[in-house]
């Protein structure tokens, strides 16, 4: 028996079976004030440096998923609007951006970063209002990481000659970029910052449910005095995205979202000269060995799957626990999820906010039902859910088999599937038994084991004794059906340049 296992047995005896965390740890409400955030009743498209009415003439409502209240109206861009945005981006590319030296492009990108930093509080509140995520995450993760991303790529703009020694870089032209609703501002930053640094111009389409921070970013871009048309932001539904992808004057498509839409995009540009990067779904394995630091691992599991309501493509949605510690891990997990605070996303103590949309909630409910129907054992927190809005209590399943749908399909919600293994070989085989390959986590006392297991896992990002850690200098991207191309780091420049 290893020391870790001995410790585990002792803990099992000493600790009470269930702690009543709910009563013990209630905090007084601590809501972030929204007083100084003014959301205009209507939002236009950002084309050629100006906010312009959509040629379509139509608008759609965007809501707060925590209350179902309408926040504002958003322009719905049609094909003619997409065409106007692409034309503006092309003009800006020819006239200004491709002619500017890297050191000048850098100044503009630094300016965007600084302005974002100054408005961080406003951005965090709007992100929470429109997306449903807890304010502490928007404030401490989304916005600072987005800022860091602009700073990081501003630094590369005048150093591209050093990025690829012996080669020169050439920008591609106009990039069409499509992003999802789980990290709206951060995904916009991941797309826009490297594109601009490399000398491309951009047309970006945010997701229909979370357009607000991208439109606030448009204001920042206007204030930073970027030449008109260098960044264009157009709002709409899937068909707006499809029109952007199909536009003949786009040189590059960058997409983050579902594997299904990713495949459609790949098919629709087949045979064209458009370059493509896809960042799609995931079904990450978080692997806990017998010798892992159990309490840290529990925090890693919680962070891995319940962070941002599980609306994370790299979420650790499959937990593989070595049999020697399976009982203690499951018991500690049961206790720990009871302490998660679900509710008002604007409250600074909230851990789990609202599900992003009714549609997403239905998808989670459906998949969870299949887990129950297929005979898996469901564990859920006893928390009370708000009456209005879209909510799902933190959940995990035990008794899960590899073939169960909840172990195979992306749920994209706060739902974890727990499986066990005996040997490292079995862990690797089970972890790799998925169509996806975006990320993974390995928890063990031994550094050498982390390296050995990581080298055998088919995943683009692997965390050792931690989970969901991001840095702009570190590349992110997938294997297999999780997509291709990297965002972040030096590797993140590659999709936006031609090497000559
Ligand atoms: P999605 O449909 O793939 O949306 C991603 C982006 O693509 C959105 O801006 C979307 O616009 C746009 N889009 C939709 N159809 C398009 C098309 N035919 N051509 C071009 N662009 C198109 O994802 P979703 O419906 O929001 O979520 C569905 C599932 O995707 C989730 O349950 C989750 O499993 C997965 N997902 C993955 C990620 C990730 O980071 N990898 C992020 C979000 C969701 P609309 O918003 O208007 O549809
Ligand atoms: Mg969609």
């Amino acid at each position: 028996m290893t020391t870790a296992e001995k410790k585990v047995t002792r803990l099992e005896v000493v600790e009470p079976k269930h702690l009543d965390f709910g009563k013990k740890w209630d905090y007084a409400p601590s809501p972030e004030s929204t007083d100084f955030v003014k959301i205009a009743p209507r939002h236009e498209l950002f084309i050629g440096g100006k906010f312009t009415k959509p040629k379509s003439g139509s608008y759609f409502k965007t809501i707060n998923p925590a209350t179902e209240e309408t926040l504002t109206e958003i322009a719905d861009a049609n094909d003619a609007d997409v065409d106007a945005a692409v034309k503006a981006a092309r003009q800006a590319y020819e006239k200004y951006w491709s002619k500017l030296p890297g050191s000048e492009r850098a100044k503009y990108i630094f300016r965007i970063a600084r302005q974002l930093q100054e408005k961080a509080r406003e951005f965090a509140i709007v992100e929470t209002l429109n997306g449903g995520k807890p304010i502490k995450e928007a404030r401490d993760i989304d916005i600072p990481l987005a800022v860091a991303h602009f700073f990081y790529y501003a630094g590369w703009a005048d150093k591209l000659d050093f990025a690829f020694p012996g080669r020169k870089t050439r920008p591609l032209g106009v990039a069409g970029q499509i992003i999802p609703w789980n990290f709206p501002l951060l995904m916009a930053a991941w797309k826009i910052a490297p594109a601009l640094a490399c000398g491309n111009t951009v047309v970006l389409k945010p997701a229909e449910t979370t357009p607000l921070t991208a439109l606030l970013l448009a204001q920042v871009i206007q204030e930073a005095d970027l030449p008109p048309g260098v960044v264009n932001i157009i709002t709409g539904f899937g068909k707006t995205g499809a029109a952007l992808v199909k536009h003949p004057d786009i040189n590059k498509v960058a997409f983050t979202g579902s594997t299904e839409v990713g495949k459609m995009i790949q098919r629709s540009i087949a045979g064209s000269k458009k370059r493509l990067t896809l960042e799609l779904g995931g079904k990450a394995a978080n692997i806990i060995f017998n010798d892992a630091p159990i309490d840290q691992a529990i925090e890693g599991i919680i962070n891995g799957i319940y962070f941002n309501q599980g609306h994370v493509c790299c979420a650790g949605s499959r937990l593989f626990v070595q049999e020697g510690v399976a009982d203690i891990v499951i018991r500690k997990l049961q206790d720990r999820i009871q302490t998660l605070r679900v509710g008002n996303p604007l409250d600074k103590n909230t851990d789990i906010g609202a599900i992003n949309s009714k549609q997403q909630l239905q998808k989670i409910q459906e998949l969870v039902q299949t887990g129950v129907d297929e005979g898996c054992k469901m564990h859920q927190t006893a928390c009370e859910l708000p009456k209005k809005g879209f909510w799902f209590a933190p959940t995990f399943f035990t008794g899960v088999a590899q073939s169960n749908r909840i172990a195979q399909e992306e749920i994209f919600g706060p739902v974890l599937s727990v499986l066990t293994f005996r040997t490292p070989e079995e862990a690797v085989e089970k972890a790799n038994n998925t169509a996806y390959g975006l990320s993974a986590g390995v928890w063990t006392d031994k550094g050498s084991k982390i390296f050995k297991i990581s080298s055998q896992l088919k995943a683009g990002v692997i965390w050792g004794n931690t989970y969901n850690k991001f840095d702009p200098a570190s590349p992110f991207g997938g294997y297999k059906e999780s997509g291709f191309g990297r965002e972040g780091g030096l590797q993140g420049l590659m999709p936006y340049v031609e090497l000559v």
Side-chain angles (χ1 to χ4, degrees):
M1 190 183 267
T2 65
T3 341
E5 279 164 338
K6 267 187 210 146
K7 203 170 97 196
V8 160
T9 322
R10 188 175 57 75
L11 281 175
E12 188 127 50
V13 178
V14 173
E15 286 199 352
K17 261 279 179 255
H18 271 285
L19 304 172
D20 191 355
F21 292 101
K23 287 205 180 90
K24 257 184 206 151
W25 295 93
D26 254 0
Y27 288 162
S30 171
E32 172 71 64
S33 158
T34 56
D35 288 354
F36 73 105
V37 173
K38 296 268 174 289
I39 299 177
R42 187 170 258 201
H43 285 70
E44 311 293 356
L45 306 170
F46 184 63
I47 297 177
K50 292 195 189 87
F51 287 94
T52 49
K53 292 194 185 310
K55 294 187 203 309
S56 70
S58 69
Y59 293 83
F60 61 95
K61 290 188 165 69
T62 190
I63 64 162
N64 175 350
T67 60
E68 296 176 62
E69 278 160 12
T70 298
L71 293 169
T72 171
E73 282 189 344
I74 304 289
D76 180 9
N78 65 10
D79 290 9
D81 294 308
V82 170
D83 187 51
V86 174
K87 280 206 174 94
R90 173 63 56 193
Q91 239 184 18
Y93 178 74
E94 309 284 352
K95 216 165 145 188
Y96 313 110
W97 206 240
S98 61
K99 296 197 176 131
L100 278 184
S103 55
E104 289 303 310
R105 293 199 304 271
K107 287 182 194 167
Y108 285 109
I109 307 170
F110 275 125
R111 216 182 281 165
I112 296 173
R114 285 194 302 268
Q115 298 262 48
L116 264 181
Q117 209 166 29
E118 265 179 34
K119 297 187 167 185
R121 191 162 167 222
E122 183 182 355
F123 269 91
I125 293 169
V126 174
E127 199 71 302
T128 287
L129 284 172
N130 200 194
K133 65 174 66 201
I135 187 73
K136 70 175 173 192
E137 279 171 14
R139 180 195 65 197
D140 299 346
I141 295 166
D142 293 66
I143 312 304
L145 273 176
V147 171
H149 226 79
F150 278 106
F151 274 124
Y152 176 79
Y153 279 107
W156 271 117
D158 62 348
K159 300 177 195 70
L160 297 174
D161 288 350
F162 305 101
F164 309 101
R167 311 287 296 271
K168 291 263 177 236
T169 64
R170 236 191 343 231
L172 301 174
V174 177
Q177 307 182 318
I178 298 170
I179 55 171
W181 41 260
N182 52 348
F183 292 90
L185 181 73
L186 185 59
M187 290 302 105
W190 279 25
K191 297 274 180 290
I192 295 174
L196 296 189
C198 294
N200 305 277
T201 57
V202 163
V203 179
L204 175 98
K205 191 204 94 70
E208 71 201 46
T209 57
T210 54
L212 286 185
T213 46
L215 291 167
L216 262 187
L217 178 64
Q219 270 178 35
V220 162
I221 284 166
Q222 209 178 34
E223 285 157 17
D225 216 13
L226 252 76
V230 170
V231 175
N232 305 274
I233 294 180
I234 51 168
T235 44
F237 296 85
K239 63 175 179 14
T240 308
L244 180 58
V245 168
K246 286 195 194 111
H247 196 288
D249 204 24
I250 289 281
N251 302 97
K252 149 99 198 159
V253 176
F255 172 81
T256 299
S258 61
T259 295
E260 187 195 353
V261 173
K263 284 180 180 177
M264 274 161 56
I265 289 177
Q266 200 169 11
R267 276 194 294 270
S268 85
I269 65 167
S272 78
K273 279 179 87 176
K274 291 172 191 170
R275 292 258 300 263
L276 176 66
T277 38
L278 295 176
E279 203 266 275
L280 309 175
K283 194 72 190 173
N286 207 357
I287 305 172
I288 318 286
F289 285 98
N290 282 344
D291 61 356
I294 299 296
D295 287 330
Q296 278 113 302
I298 295 290
E299 289 315 301
I301 297 164
I302 295 286
N303 181 26
I305 186 65
Y306 301 119
F307 165 51
N308 201 28
Q309 298 71 249
H311 294 340
V312 187
C313 48
C314 51
S317 53
R318 291 180 303 154
L319 176 67
F320 291 99
V321 195
Q322 201 162 12
E323 282 186 0
V325 290
D327 287 350
I328 185 79
V329 166
I330 289 167
R331 188 174 63 70
K332 280 178 176 271
L333 202 56
Q334 265 169 343
D335 286 344
R336 181 67 177 88
I337 64 167
Q338 298 299 338
T339 69
L340 294 171
R341 290 182 185 79
V342 184
N344 183 4
L346 281 168
D347 194 308
K348 293 172 203 116
N349 294 319
T350 293
D351 298 307
I352 313 264
I355 300 300
N356 183 261
S357 64
K358 193 173 186 177
Q359 192 190 13
Q360 187 60 28
L361 177 61
Q362 281 164 352
K363 185 184 158 188
I364 297 169
Q365 286 165 337
E366 258 169 55
L367 272 164
V368 164
Q369 189 59 47
T370 69
V372 175
D373 295 345
E374 291 178 11
C376 309
K377 184 167 180 216
M378 185 168 81
H379 310 251
Q380 218 168 35
T381 66
C383 66
E384 212 175 293
L385 299 178
K387 299 279 173 291
K388 285 215 113 180
F390 315 124
W391 306 92
F392 201 84
T395 301
F396 73 88
F397 280 99
T398 51
V400 181
Q402 289 273 88
S403 56
N404 291 136
R405 281 184 66 191
I406 54 167
Q408 290 294 329
E409 294 179 34
E410 190 179 38
I411 302 174
F412 227 66
V415 183
L416 174 71
S417 300
V418 184
L419 298 97
T420 58
F421 67 93
R422 287 187 182 172
T423 63
E425 293 73 24
E426 189 187 345
V428 170
E429 200 181 312
K430 286 183 164 173
N432 285 338
N433 181 16
T434 164
Y436 295 111
L438 191 55
S439 59
V442 182
W443 297 80
T444 160
D445 202 24
K446 295 186 183 54
S448 56
K449 197 144 102 195
I450 293 180
F451 285 116
K452 187 168 177 203
I453 300 293
S454 302
S455 67
Q456 296 168 356
L457 293 173
K458 299 268 183 299
V461 181
I462 299 169
W463 287 287
N465 288 337
T466 187
Y467 208 89
N468 270 342
K469 288 277 182 290
F470 299 92
D471 189 282
S474 173
F476 184 92
Y479 266 72
K480 301 195 277 189
E481 293 197 13
S482 290
F484 48 80
R486 294 292 177 264
E487 295 187 297
L490 175 112
Q491 292 82 351
L493 297 167
M494 292 282 277
Y496 291 100
V497 294
E498 202 181 320
L499 294 180
V500 284

